Amino acid sequence: MLIRIYNARIWTGEKYIENGELWIEDGKIRLVSQVCPLIYLPWDREINAEGNLVMPSFKNAHAHSPMVFLRSYADDTALDEWLHTQVFPREVKLTRDDCYWLTKLAIAEYLSSGISLASDMYFHLDGIAEACQECGFRNVILEGITEGNGPKDKLFKRLEWGMDTMKKTGNLIEYRLGLHAEYTNSEQNIQAMAEFAKAHKMPVYTHLSETKKEVEECVERHGTTPAVYLAKQGLFDFGGVVYHCVHPSDDDIKVLKEHNVSVISCPASNIKLASGIAPLQKLVESGINVGLGTDGPASNNCLDMFREMFLASGLQKAVLSNPSAMDGEFVLEMATYNNAWAMGMNNLDTIEIGKSADLIMIDLHQPNMQPVNNVLKNIVYAGSKSNVLMTIIAGKILYEKCEYNIGTDIDEIYSKCGEITKRIISQ
Amino acid sequence: MLIRIYNARIWTGEKYIENGELWIEDGKIRLVSQVCPLIYLPWDREINAEGNLVMPSFKNAHAHSPMVFLRSYADDTALDEWLHTQVFPREVKLTRDDCYWLTKLAIAEYLSSGISLASDMYFHLDGIAEACQECGFRNVILEGITEGNGPKDKLFKRLEWGMDTMKKTGNLIEYRLGLHAEYTNSEQNIQAMAEFAKAHKMPVYTHLSETKKEVEECVERHGTTPAVYLAKQGLFDFGGVVYHCVHPSDDDIKVLKEHNVSVISCPASNIKLASGIAPLQKLVESGINVGLGTDGPASNNCLDMFREMFLASGLQKAVLSNPSAMDGEFVLEMATYNNAWAMGMNNLDTIEIGKSADLIMIDLHQPNMQPVNNVLKNIVYAGSKSNVLMTIIAGKILYEKCEYNIGTDIDEIYSKCGEITKRIISQ
């Protein structure tokens, strides 16, 4: 399969090409260049980009995709009440098949907003993975290990099952070690997780310091803040990724940096649930790799990196009273490059010869992108999913001009997910 | 012209109809009903809404539309530097014809995000008004009076010219009295404005307390905060509208309420320029009518009420640590009903028999709107301009499935605005 995209503005993730040309062969970038070389190949498809922008796809570094069934079902309520009356009692009713269909709905939303990869922490990993592989969508999948998954022997078996099953599912699925959070695990379980991580030389991904209450309770339990505590247990000996990190102490930041831990911020979810505003500028300045995630669609309520990018920049500017904080172009790197690195998917970070062709085309012929001044900043400050013309994953065009090419009819997905939602909510 | 929309979910602004029918005759709502009456009329067009949502259009209560030429031209810089090196020296080069074309670009963007009316404070009002009337778009137009427009005789002549010219332009254009701000006018000019407002029994619209610096300097100059000071000068004797109001004192809030002054908040612009976060919940609780605006596209950078709505709710939740603050359904009323009232356009507030047909259709058959749980909250929390299927103003369909029906080709608008931008920036 040989695709040629010409007449394109290209942002490779590292440089900007005004009149660019890009070739894709068997899922990989074969050429990215400013001048069109005088070579004619037997193209399977030639695409005139008409001056629109080709750039690396967005990666969503923290999600709970199957939670789409709860979208807009419990807004404007306090976090504790929301979790205990609306979320947990309903989540237990989900089957593997439910998660399979709900993930397909999330995938459609991801593609429509230019996201090529999600990192899901949830249950029924096999259902999620199967949906992704079938659709051609990438997922870096994790279990959210809690106390119920222990003790050690049982826990190890479960993690091994996950590793094994995800590997078998296909080339688009990766498995990582996920601990739900400090507050849902005993010290014993956390140490077992650290032992497993060491044995397999794997980083650990976990929710961390999302709310003030969580931090205070950790200090009460263990005499120290979550990041410092988890690092002491050896959890980050091979690196890691922490989600949210809204309320880190200076010691937490130091420890995260020392252990090469990335932070994934979810600004929309954090403000909507009133958890707060993470100190992104400070985290970045400390040298930590900071990326972005949507969190689940029940708290956000959408799966849209454009909104996260604007918030990542705007909230820091407001909180720090500094309009230069979190520059737009840097935020664009967070949603692409930094996220790929956080998930250990370095081959997806930029558009470069030999790397996988995971890219999107942004329509500049829409009013919000006109006149064409600074394209990159404008994507962050004015961009919208309506600007996504095309989403390509591993060289395959999965979304083009509002049409999905994911092997399942979109109306069937809506209908199945509607039925699942009705069944679970009404029970 | 007789249009029938059937098979629609309808939110009238006051009630929600699950299976609704709506008729438009000569620009006005003729019927809105739950059950389809057994009457057949000679429809000019019958539209099957396929279960999508029909609702009142969004109104943008504070804008500087022609500033599209500066979009993404000066991001990530401090407000003062931005104004004095990027904005003011370029704005003076704008001609009436420039503003005419730049407004058309803004109109296209408004329509694509479901906005039927803007309220522009800018120069070359006649160019703006002509563009709007030609396209079929509404504008409540104001001059931003500054010291240069005084003294009194000169000022009165200018205001009379504005009133007169706008009235002549056509049925879609309204004129209001606009004072740029306290800090750009002498006491003499402000008193002259108050005198004119009293003589014509008109409310006055003005920027107010956008930045801390502005408030501090007003206190230094006049010994009191901006709202209290302006009210003392009689500026709000016939009501008014203030933009931004990021840093009001308790006395300011009291005075605004007493004088029946509406507040228009511009959350995206306020955070991007690092001005701060307006205390919307407090303003609402004090009984003030609070609406939303985008501000100009040079600071925002887009003209999209979906983003403003999410921010209006999310920022309050975060700042107040209260996930119940600024409920989604209330925010939807702010962007429609409250904005119409603030601009004195009460006939555009809801979908009701006899009122003007200014409405939009929201596509619920997109992943971010599925499953269909709470439609209204989901528009605020997950909605995007990509969900806008149709924008209707005074019964005329101006935007439908990404196509514009505004009398000018969209590519011609892009091209003209590109040329204007190049000319002004390069000079």
Side-chain angles (χ1 to χ4, degrees), chain B residues 69 87-95 122-124 424 427:
Chain B
F69 79 105
V87 179
F88 295 155
R90 283 169 178 154
E91 277 184 329
V92 296
K93 297 178 194 163
L94 286 172
T95 66
Y122 213 61
F123 331 117
H124 300 300
I424 291 180
Q427 265 176 358

Side-chain angles (χ1 to χ4, degrees), chain A residues 68-73 75-79 105 108-109 268 271-274 277 300-302 307 310-311 314-315 317-318 321-328 365-368 370-371 373-374 377-378 380-382 384-386 404 414 417-418 421, chain B residues 68-73 75-79 105 108-109 268 271-274 277 300-302 307 310-311 314-315 317-318 321-328 365-368 370-371 373-374 377-378 380-382 384-386 404 414 417-418 421:
Chain A
V68 283
F69 79 105
L70 282 173
R71 189 202 306 274
S72 77
Y73 212 86
D75 302 315
D76 305 309
T77 50
L79 181 63
L105 176 55
E109 190 173 354
I271 63 172
K272 184 159 174 283
L273 290 175
I277 295 169
N300 187 326
N301 303 354
C302 69
R307 181 152 94 185
F310 183 78
L311 289 172
L315 294 175
K317 293 179 194 305
S321 301
N322 176 9
S324 308
M326 297 298 278
D327 179 284
H365 297 82
Q366 286 187 26
N368 65 335
Q370 290 284 331
N373 290 329
N374 183 327
K377 289 199 182 192
N378 208 47
V380 172
Y381 294 130
S384 141
K385 66 198 304 179
S386 67
Y404 299 91
Y414 295 159
C417 292
T421 305
Chain B
V68 283
F69 79 105
L70 282 173
R71 190 203 304 275
S72 77
Y73 213 86
D75 302 315
D76 305 310
T77 51
L79 182 61
L105 176 55
E109 191 173 353
I271 64 172
K272 184 158 174 284
L273 290 175
I277 295 169
N300 187 323
N301 302 355
C302 68
R307 182 153 93 185
F310 183 78
L311 288 172
L315 294 174
K317 292 178 195 307
S321 302
N322 175 9
S324 309
M326 296 298 278
D327 178 286
H365 297 82
Q366 286 187 25
N368 64 335
Q370 291 283 332
N373 290 329
N374 183 326
K377 290 200 180 190
N378 208 48
V380 172
Y381 295 130
S384 142
K385 67 199 303 179
S386 67
Y404 299 92
Y414 294 159
C417 292
T421 305

Side-chain angles (χ1 to χ4, degrees), chain B residues 377-425:
Chain B
K377 290 200 180 190
N378 208 48
I379 287 172
V380 172
Y381 295 130
S384 142
K385 67 199 303 179
S386 67
N387 297 112
V388 176
L389 269 181
M390 202 181 271
T391 304
I392 301 176
I393 303 180
K396 196 175 164 201
I397 301 170
L398 296 188
Y399 178 78
E400 186 174 3
K401 291 179 184 164
C402 303
E403 296 292 329
Y404 299 92
N405 173 30
I406 53 175
T408 312
D409 183 66
I410 188 73
D411 288 319
E412 192 190 350
I413 296 174
Y414 294 159
S415 157
K416 286 274 188 190
C417 292
E419 286 165 24
I420 292 166
T421 305
K422 224 177 256 176
R423 193 194 82 228
I424 291 180
I425 302 286

Side-chain angles (χ1 to χ4, degrees), chain A residues 36-104:
Chain A
C36 166
L38 290 169
I39 295 172
Y40 297 92
L41 296 177
W43 308 111
D44 292 292
R45 185 151 174 214
E46 280 190 278
I47 299 168
N48 181 352
E50 297 176 347
N52 291 314
L53 181 80
V54 172
M55 60 170 272
S57 57
F58 298 117
K59 284 86 190 172
N60 180 7
H62 181 50
H64 313 283
S65 299
M67 288 183 86
V68 283
F69 79 105
L70 282 173
R71 189 202 306 274
S72 77
Y73 212 86
D75 302 315
D76 305 309
T77 50
L79 181 63
D80 268 8
E81 186 197 329
W82 178 72
L83 279 173
H84 290 99
T85 69
Q86 309 287 343
V87 178
F88 295 155
R90 282 167 179 156
E91 277 184 329
V92 295
K93 296 178 195 164
L94 287 171
T95 66
R96 180 193 183 285
D97 196 52
D98 293 342
C99 286
Y100 167 87
W101 281 105
L102 294 166
T103 299
K104 286 204 170 179

